[in-house]
Amino acid sequence: MGRSPCCSKVGLRRGPWSTKEDSLLASHIQQHGEGQWRSLPKKAGLLRCGKSCRLRWMNYLRPGIKRGNISEDEEDLIVRLHRLLGNRWSLIAGRLPGRTDNEIKNYWNTHLLKKLNTAAAAADKKKIKKPPKKSAAAAASSQEMKNSKVYAPKPMRVSSRSDSDDSLGSSDCAPEVLVSAWPEVEDPAALYHSSDSFADDMWEKVYAEYMQLL
DNA sequence: AACTACATCAACCGCGGAACC
DNA sequence: CGGTTCCGCGGTTGATGTAGT
């Protein structure tokens, strides 16, 4: 349907944000809240398009954002969530407090994809060495990686637009849905560690609930 | 020290879909 | 009900940093 004419790039700044721009954006949002991205730049005195402002706020300026140092636990959770949800970065980010979809997407594409590929390659090598019975756990896990069925439903916006300006926290549309439907994660670490049967139950529950939502 | 290749990640782009008129 | 506007998402790009030669 209607494609956004978006920012008619004329006269608009692009590229990296300066600290001055950051502070202008942050202070404007602190005063007026999120939303109205289209008109925000003008009101805030920024020569940026609304999309750019939104991205900057969501990924860097929003309070509570964690940058870098993705722990092994978080990494594991990302892998498991990706297996469950596919490239639904915003949903995955919604389960990782303080992490943004952009960061997770980048991390996946740069670190995890490589890591998983080498792990799978190593497992394949093992399989070739002793092909008769694929009993090795490593082979199984690599097969799991290959064969794992990723359920990737179409994204769906659920929150109404008027929600967007009520509070800073309501910005993440999909997580907003999930937060209400999924068990809230007090301690994300509780979700990790596949060997743990509690975690396995948890994943089944999560998956079932996710299916219900669709 | 200079150059090249590769890795990383912030930012941009285009699209789909909900909300609005 | 159909067209338009706006938002949010996922994919991609390109600037910058780092390692290797």
Side-chain angles (χ1 to χ4, degrees), chain A residues 14-83:
Chain A
R14 300 181 58 186
W17 280 64
S18 67
T19 49
K20 197 184 173 189
E21 286 176 311
D22 280 348
S23 63
L24 272 174
L25 178 61
S27 68
H28 179 88
I29 290 175
Q30 269 158 22
Q31 280 175 30
H32 303 95
E34 282 181 59
Q36 311 293 320
W37 296 111
R38 186 91 168 170
S39 55
L40 184 147
K42 207 175 174 186
K43 289 178 187 167
L46 286 161
L47 284 169
R48 296 274 182 173
C49 77
K51 268 185 174 184
S52 185
C53 294
R54 180 187 160 275
L55 196 77
R56 185 67 184 171
W57 172 254
M58 294 298 190
N59 289 329
Y60 302 96
L61 302 177
R62 210 162 34 139
I65 294 287
K66 282 191 240 168
R67 306 284 319 147
N69 297 324
I70 292 184
S71 67
E72 276 187 35
D73 284 347
E74 283 176 307
E75 196 178 294
D76 183 51
L77 183 56
I78 291 169
V79 171
R80 284 145 104 17
L81 283 167
H82 185 270
R83 203 171 298 169

Side-chain angles (χ1 to χ4, degrees), chain A residues 124-139:
Chain A
D124 278 349
K125 259 190 181 176
K126 269 192 185 175
K127 239 172 55 181
I128 290 165
K129 270 192 175 176
K130 36 176 177 177
K133 284 188 182 175
K134 30 187 167 177
S135 55

Side-chain angles (χ1 to χ4, degrees), chain A residues 135-193:
Chain A
S135 55
S141 70
S142 83
Q143 271 311 102
E144 189 195 354
M145 261 308 294
K146 281 184 180 170
N147 300 337
S148 63
K149 201 169 72 181
V150 170
Y151 187 74
K154 296 296 285 179
M156 196 169 93
R157 198 191 311 173
V158 180
S159 57
S160 73
R161 194 175 292 174
S162 55
D163 288 346
S164 63
D165 32 52
D166 57 4
S167 79
L168 295 182
S170 65
S171 58
D172 289 330
C173 77
E176 183 181 315
V177 179
L178 292 168
V179 161
S180 64
W182 288 17
E184 190 49 71
V185 182
E186 292 270 325
D187 176 17
L191 291 175
Y192 310 133
H193 309 307

Side-chain angles (χ1 to χ4, degrees), chain A residues 73-96 101 103-114 116-117 144-153 178 182 191-192 203 206-207 210:
Chain A
D73 284 347
E74 283 176 307
E75 196 178 294
D76 183 51
L77 183 56
I78 291 169
V79 171
R80 284 145 104 17
L81 283 167
H82 185 270
R83 203 171 298 169
L84 180 66
L85 301 169
N87 294 0
R88 306 291 309 282
W89 306 117
S90 61
L91 293 187
I92 295 171
R95 307 313 299 169
L96 286 152
D101 54 355
E103 188 182 15
I104 291 171
K105 180 173 60 181
N106 279 332
Y107 191 74
W108 176 268
N109 288 330
T110 55
H111 299 87
L112 293 179
L113 214 52
K114 225 181 287 171
L116 292 172
N117 281 340
E144 189 195 354
M145 261 308 294
K146 281 184 180 170
N147 300 337
S148 63
K149 201 169 72 181
V150 170
Y151 187 74
L178 292 168
W182 288 17
L191 291 175
Y192 310 133
W203 284 104
V206 165
Y207 186 75
Y210 187 68

